Amino acid sequence: LAVLGVAPNRQNAFIRRTPGSSLVCLSLREGRPLWQKSAGQLDPSLKSAWFVGTPLIGYRDAYVVMSRPQVSGFQDTFVAAVDVMTGELSWRRHLSSAVRGRFYNAVRPPRMILDGPRLFVTDQIGVIACLDRRSGSVLWLRVDAPEAINPNQSRPRRKQGKFTASSAPVRVPMGLIVPSYGGSDPALLLDPLTGKRLDELSGDVWRSSQLLMSIGTDVLSVGKTVTRLN
């Protein structure tokens, strides 16, 4: 399963049409396409949306993230489940609406992980949600960067650090680790069942990490250096 095409940060005056992207499923044995769908073919209301990030495959469904631009400059982020056998939409869920970037400024794509019956999704600018993977219902959702939802509110603009997190949340025995959103923002340790904040992980090793992954009960942080954390 793969996403093909172009997914820009946002539509603007220099992008006259929505770049195309599609979700493609290939035969494992033969490598031939089984089906190929655009966002608009999954749901006509998402005709102007594109796929972003890396899709995941569960037992029967594939989980994908889509971004849809608005004339106002906001981008809507959706999560959807697609039947891997047929390519038909199983469910979709709106995650957030925010200004993700200006013109060609790079922004991190949304990321997600599967954990049993739960799907954890972050839009990488302040919103993280826990969804029921079978129905798409929201089990909990939290906003840790209010400017992600209300960018017109007067507040200092967040500076992005040279090394900013681009990894998905990490599930470890002590909870759910959400990587830093960039700059001076700490990584967060959340209760995976409720979304309650258990701790802030504010050391340099957390803020400068580009990739977090679990190794047994430990966490591997990859940035300028590679660090294994207990």
Side-chain angles (χ1 to χ4, degrees):
L1 190 75
V3 170
L4 300 179
V6 180
N9 300 327
R10 57 172 288 188
Q11 278 194 323
N12 53 58
F14 299 101
I15 300 176
R16 298 302 181 183
R17 64 183 180 85
T18 303
S21 66
S22 59
L23 186 67
V24 182
C25 183
L26 304 180
S27 167
L28 187 61
R29 292 185 176 181
E30 304 169 2
R32 62 181 177 83
L34 298 177
W35 51 262
Q36 180 171 346
K37 293 291 183 74
S38 66
Q41 288 174 321
L42 293 178
D43 186 330
S45 69
L46 298 175
K47 182 179 179 180
S48 61
W50 50 75
F51 296 103
V52 293
T54 302
L56 300 177
I57 295 182
Y59 172 69
R60 170 121 184 157
D61 287 324
Y63 302 94
V64 294
V65 179
M66 292 172 282
S67 182
R68 182 180 65 186
Q70 297 185 29
V71 176
S72 63
F74 278 66
Q75 280 194 8
D76 303 320
T77 299
F78 296 90
V79 185
V82 180
D83 189 306
V84 295
M85 302 301 294
T86 64
E88 297 301 316
L89 184 70
S90 298
W91 54 258
R92 75 161 197 176
R93 185 66 56 197
H94 175 259
L95 181 65
S96 65
S97 295
V99 176
R100 297 192 57 83
R102 295 181 178 227
F103 301 102
Y104 295 106
N105 290 347
V107 293
R108 300 177 297 275
R111 299 295 300 272
M112 53 188 170
I113 61 167
L114 284 167
D115 180 43
R118 297 180 293 270
L119 177 69
F120 297 106
V121 190
T122 174
D123 68 354
Q124 294 281 27
I125 54 174
V127 176
I128 181 167
C130 176
L131 308 180
D132 182 296
R133 62 182 288 183
R134 297 179 180 86
S135 66
S137 60
V138 178
L139 302 179
W140 55 260
L141 182 147
R142 60 179 294 130
V143 179
D144 287 294
E147 64 269 35
I149 298 299
N150 186 11
N152 295 320
Q153 185 175 345
S154 178
R155 62 179 69 238
R157 193 173 176 81
R158 178 189 285 110
K159 294 182 179 180
Q160 297 292 331
K162 184 177 180 181
F163 291 91
T164 55
S166 59
S167 63
V170 178
R171 182 72 169 92
V172 292
M174 61 182 177
L176 180 72
I177 298 176
V178 182
S180 166
Y181 294 119
S184 61
D185 290 341
L188 301 176
L189 178 63
L190 306 180
D191 183 331
L193 297 180
T194 65
K196 180 181 178 181
R197 183 184 299 200
L198 301 177
D199 198 3
E200 290 188 357
L201 309 174
S202 56
D204 289 341
V205 68
W206 296 105
R207 287 195 297 263
S208 64
S209 177
Q210 288 186 297
L211 176 66
L212 295 175
M213 65 180 71
S214 61
I215 301 181
T217 58
D218 295 341
V219 177
L220 190 70
S221 171
V222 180
K224 288 184 178 181
T225 61
V226 179
T227 307
R228 184 165 181 166
L229 304 164
N230 189 324

